[in-house]
Amino acid sequence: LTDPVGFFCSGIHCDVKGVRNGKLDLGIIYSTKPCNAAGVFTTNDVQAAPVKYSKNLVHNSALTFRAIIANSGNANACTGIEGISDARKTCKLVAKRLGLRQRQVAICSTGVIGLPMPMMRIEPKIDGLVAGLDTNKGEDVARAIMTSDTFAKEFAVEVKTPDGTFRIGGIAKGAGMIDPNMATMLGFVGTDAQI
């Protein structure tokens, strides 16, 4: 995901599930420039707080994005008003640390349903997550969003045209979970093409 120019990633272990296994479970994707965004979201009747929050941002066509924060271990689903508040607070913390507006940060979560987000473990890790941003850590985010996946999924291509060269990179988790209705799959694609 960091092959396109201007994209940085970072992943960190914050023990979202409280199992102390050391696995990466919080990741961030950051662009040095504002990005036009598009999104496809689950059509299930039950939608997690991060889905509602990010869907609202993406559907506001006047906005551009600079960052996406994503976690595994807890889907922040069926968590009511507290879940929306936690999603909003996480985006606010990331935005503050990066010097962005809160509405420039989207959020995605995957994992256990029905449990509140362990904000006491996530909040202290935001500074380290942002400090770790680098152009060679796309795989860290691919690993941080894994749930039942057996390996990290990432891919990038470079396209040469008469008008110049551009790159497209992406990561995904839960490719077998795309059905029904974009269930629990997460996928992120970035490009330095002028779209």
Side-chain angles (χ1 to χ4, degrees):
L1 192 55
T2 55
D3 281 4
V5 175
F7 284 86
F8 293 76
C9 288
S10 176
I12 200 166
H13 171 70
C14 66
D15 201 24
V16 170
K17 291 178 83 171
V19 295
R20 299 182 182 152
N21 60 12
K23 292 182 180 179
L24 300 176
D25 55 6
L26 186 66
I28 188 170
I29 304 161
Y30 169 71
S31 172
T32 56
K33 296 181 180 178
C35 297
N36 293 316
V40 177
F41 298 89
T42 183
T43 58
N44 288 339
D45 290 338
V46 177
Q47 297 185 358
V51 171
K52 293 176 183 177
Y53 184 85
S54 295
K55 188 177 181 180
N56 185 53
L57 290 176
V58 170
H59 288 190
N60 183 340
S61 59
L63 297 181
T64 56
F65 289 85
R66 298 282 300 279
I68 300 171
I69 185 161
N71 72 275
S72 62
N74 187 316
N76 194 4
C78 302
T79 51
I81 295 170
E82 182 183 357
I84 293 287
S85 177
D86 289 343
R88 186 178 290 117
K89 184 176 185 179
T90 303
C91 290
K92 185 176 182 178
L93 291 167
V94 170
K96 183 177 179 181
R97 182 65 172 80
L98 288 170
L100 306 176
R101 293 181 177 155
Q102 182 179 331
R103 65 185 189 204
Q104 291 179 297
V105 181
I107 185 168
C108 297
S109 298
T110 184
V112 177
I113 294 171
L115 295 178
M117 288 298 287
M119 295 301 290
M120 68 288 207
R121 293 195 289 269
I122 293 172
E123 285 183 55
K125 297 293 186 167
I126 298 292
D127 282 354
L129 181 70
V130 171
L133 283 166
D134 203 313
T135 56
N136 65 358
K137 293 188 178 176
E139 185 179 350
D140 285 3
V141 179
R143 291 197 176 285
I145 62 173
M146 288 171 50
T147 50
S148 60
D149 302 69
T150 56
F151 62 94
K153 298 166 183 70
E154 60 177 342
F155 196 76
V157 295
E158 183 174 81
V159 180
K160 295 181 180 180
T161 74
D163 296 321
T165 301
F166 64 91
R167 294 175 180 174
I168 302 171
I171 61 171
K173 65 75 59 176
M177 301 173 185
I178 195 168
D179 194 50
N181 306 323
M182 298 296 293
T184 62
M185 179 183 169
L186 294 180
F188 307 107
V189 178
T191 182
D192 53 21
Q194 297 301 307
I195 297 177

